[in-house]
């Protein structure tokens, strides 16, 4: 039996060393919907959709997602296009934790895909994400070329899913990873596909579509971003970010506690990612760019959203509107 099949087996067998991981996971992995504080939809609630290529991409905007879901009482859903099974080189550290041969199993891709779906569901529970839609596309591994995923994925199906979610979900905000030329090609592909779907909506129905990039406080300001070459739909309203959120902003539950804690919780759920945890843990500022595809209606929604989010702030010095 393959390692992945053993991992899936529902019943406990004391002689199966792999069984511990799924037993523990089942106990700690309730449906994320049960953790959504919101009982019913309300027209005044912020509704946001994250569209990401990989389980762990949600960590880039973790502080703002937490603020929307938990502190502004909003609704956040997410689309995860792949199960993130492509990269295993830094998973060695997690082998002891999961008690699984993540880097050497013959079916390690299947195994990693299952584990990474679990990891993003646990992160979603922390963030207060309501619905997660997994599109099950192949994670073909690292590339800097957006065209690679256009070849590997069922693009038509992704487009259909995004169209219907955007049409029926009536989101105020769509959050993407900023599709720079230096980021993973899958992030670029997902941004281009999502922004095409946003641009197809009736102008008055368009959400504010934003790209996020996090940087370390000590680092220089992020480079400007105007558009990804070859994908004009990714054009931003300005090369500079329209908003910055400092993760050291105090949480509403206690002035001594800040959003960095929540970000650390989220990052820590992605134990199979390894290197990512060192890198992401250093970042303190979430920078947001507004895409032109949002149109006037989306831009107006963004102004209202910023107002709603800043009203929640305990430290106006920490939330900078740089528009
Ligand atoms: Zn990613």
């Amino acid at each position: 039996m393959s390692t992945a099949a053993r991992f899936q087996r529902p019943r406990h067998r004391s002689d199966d060393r792999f069984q511990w991981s799924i037993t523990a996971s089942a106990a700690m992995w309730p449906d994320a919907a049960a953790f959504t504080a919101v009982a019913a939809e309300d027209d005044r609630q912020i509704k946001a959709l994250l569209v990401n290529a990989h389980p762990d991409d949600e960590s880039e905007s973790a502080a703002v997602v937490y603020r929307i879901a938990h502190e502004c009482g909003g609704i956040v859903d997410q689309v995860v296009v792949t199960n993130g099974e492509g990269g295993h080189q830094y998973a060695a550290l997690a082998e002891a934790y999961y008690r699984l041969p993540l880097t050497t199993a013959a079916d390690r891709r299947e195994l990693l895909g299952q584990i990474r779906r679990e990891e993003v569901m646990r992160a979603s529970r922390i963030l207060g994400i309501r619905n997660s839609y997994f599109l099950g596309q192949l994670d073909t591994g690292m590339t800097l070329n957006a065209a690679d995923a256009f070849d590997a994925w069922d693009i038509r199906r992704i487009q259909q899913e995004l169209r219907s979610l955007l049409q029926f979900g009536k989101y105020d905000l769509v959050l993407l990873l900023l599709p720079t030329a230096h980021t993973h090609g899958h992030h670029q592909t997902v941004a281009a596909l999502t922004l095409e779907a946003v641009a197809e909506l009736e102008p008055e129905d368009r959400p504010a579509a934003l790209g996020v990039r996090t940087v370390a406080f000590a680092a220089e300001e992020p480079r400007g971003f105007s558009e990804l070459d070859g994908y004009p739909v990714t054009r931003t309203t300005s090369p500079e970010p329209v908003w910055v959120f400092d993760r050291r902003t105090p949480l509403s539950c206690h002035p001594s506690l800040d959003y960095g804690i929540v970000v650390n919780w989220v990052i820590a759920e992605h134990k199979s990612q390894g290197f990512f945890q060192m890198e992401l843990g250093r970042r303190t500022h979430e920078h947001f760019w507004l895409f032109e595809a949002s149109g006037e209606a989306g831009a107006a929604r963004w102004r209202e959203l910023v107002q709603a989010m800043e009203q929640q702030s305990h430290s106006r010095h920490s939330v900078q509107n740089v528009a």
Side-chain angles (χ1 to χ4, degrees):
M1 181 183 287
S2 71
T3 311
R6 270 197 293 260
F7 180 69
Q8 281 182 309
R9 192 185 306 150
R11 287 189 313 167
H12 176 73
R13 267 179 45 186
S14 57
D15 61 338
D16 187 341
R17 67 193 175 93
F18 298 112
Q19 193 56 46
W20 283 107
S21 60
I22 189 63
T23 305
S25 301
M28 295 187 287
W29 183 28
D31 184 345
F35 289 83
T36 305
V38 173
E41 286 192 31
D42 174 327
D43 283 350
R44 292 157 302 172
Q45 280 177 315
I46 300 175
K47 279 193 79 184
L49 178 69
L50 312 186
V51 189
N52 287 321
H54 310 116
D56 79 1
D57 291 344
E58 81 291 343
S59 59
E60 288 264 345
S61 54
V64 163
V65 168
Y66 188 90
R67 191 179 189 88
I68 292 170
H70 286 286
E71 305 212 318
C72 299
I75 290 172
V76 184
D77 295 332
Q78 71 176 342
V79 174
V80 187
V81 174
T82 77
N83 292 329
E85 70 274 25
H88 69 274
Q89 65 194 114
Y90 302 120
L93 178 64
E95 291 187 328
Y97 176 79
Y98 287 115
R99 296 169 189 163
L100 290 167
L102 299 178
T103 58
T104 55
D107 55 349
R108 65 170 180 253
R109 291 176 65 86
E110 195 186 337
L111 195 55
L112 272 175
Q114 290 174 31
I115 282 181
R116 287 179 173 161
R117 274 177 70 137
E118 280 207 13
E119 288 176 341
V120 73
M121 288 306 292
R122 292 182 196 215
S124 302
R125 168 185 162 178
I126 293 165
L127 293 174
I129 289 174
R130 180 183 67 169
N131 294 327
S132 296
Y133 304 96
F134 293 93
L135 301 190
Q137 301 300 304
L138 194 65
D139 179 5
T140 48
M142 184 56 194
T143 172
L144 289 176
N145 189 354
D148 289 355
F150 276 101
D151 292 337
W153 294 349
D154 183 347
I155 297 298
R156 227 172 156 171
R157 189 195 152 203
I158 299 170
Q159 286 171 325
Q160 279 168 355
E161 300 281 2
L162 291 175
R163 269 186 213 129
S164 51
L165 260 176
L166 289 171
Q167 255 169 24
F168 299 109
K170 302 201 183 311
Y171 295 99
D172 304 297
L173 174 65
V174 170
L175 280 178
L176 303 163
L177 298 196
L178 192 71
T180 67
H182 308 284
T183 190
H184 200 305
H186 294 171
H187 304 164
Q188 301 169 12
T189 314
V190 166
L193 289 170
T194 308
L195 291 168
E196 275 172 17
V198 167
E200 283 174 15
L201 292 169
E202 294 297 328
E204 65 274 17
D205 293 337
R206 291 191 200 168
L210 284 102
V212 60
R213 183 149 183 260
T214 51
V215 298
F217 179 64
E220 288 176 20
E221 283 295 297
R223 269 177 274 179
F225 176 80
S226 298
E227 70 178 71
L228 179 66
D229 276 353
Y231 298 90
V233 75
T234 62
R235 191 169 300 141
T236 57
T237 56
S238 142
E240 305 308 319
V242 291
W243 200 55
V244 182
F245 188 80
D246 187 339
R247 291 174 165 178
R248 297 163 306 175
T249 303
L251 289 154
S252 65
C253 63
H254 196 290
S256 301
L257 306 177
D258 70 32
Y259 285 82
I261 298 170
V262 174
V263 175
N264 285 338
W265 285 359
V266 168
I267 292 171
E269 292 299 357
H270 295 284
K271 292 178 176 60
S272 72
Q273 299 284 357
F275 181 74
F276 146 92
Q277 295 180 321
M278 296 198 316
E279 175 60 23
L280 268 286
R282 283 192 276 267
R283 300 186 188 173
T284 51
H285 288 68
E286 298 178 4
H287 291 251
F288 295 87
W289 280 256
L290 181 66
F291 293 107
E292 271 189 9
S294 313
E296 283 179 28
R301 288 195 169 93
W302 173 242
R303 289 191 290 275
E304 284 170 27
L305 283 167
V306 167
Q307 238 180 7
M309 287 193 282
E310 291 189 350
Q311 274 168 6
Q312 291 292 318
S313 177
H314 284 251
S315 171
R316 289 200 165 270
H317 301 294
S318 303
V319 181
Q320 307 160 34
N321 186 352
V322 297

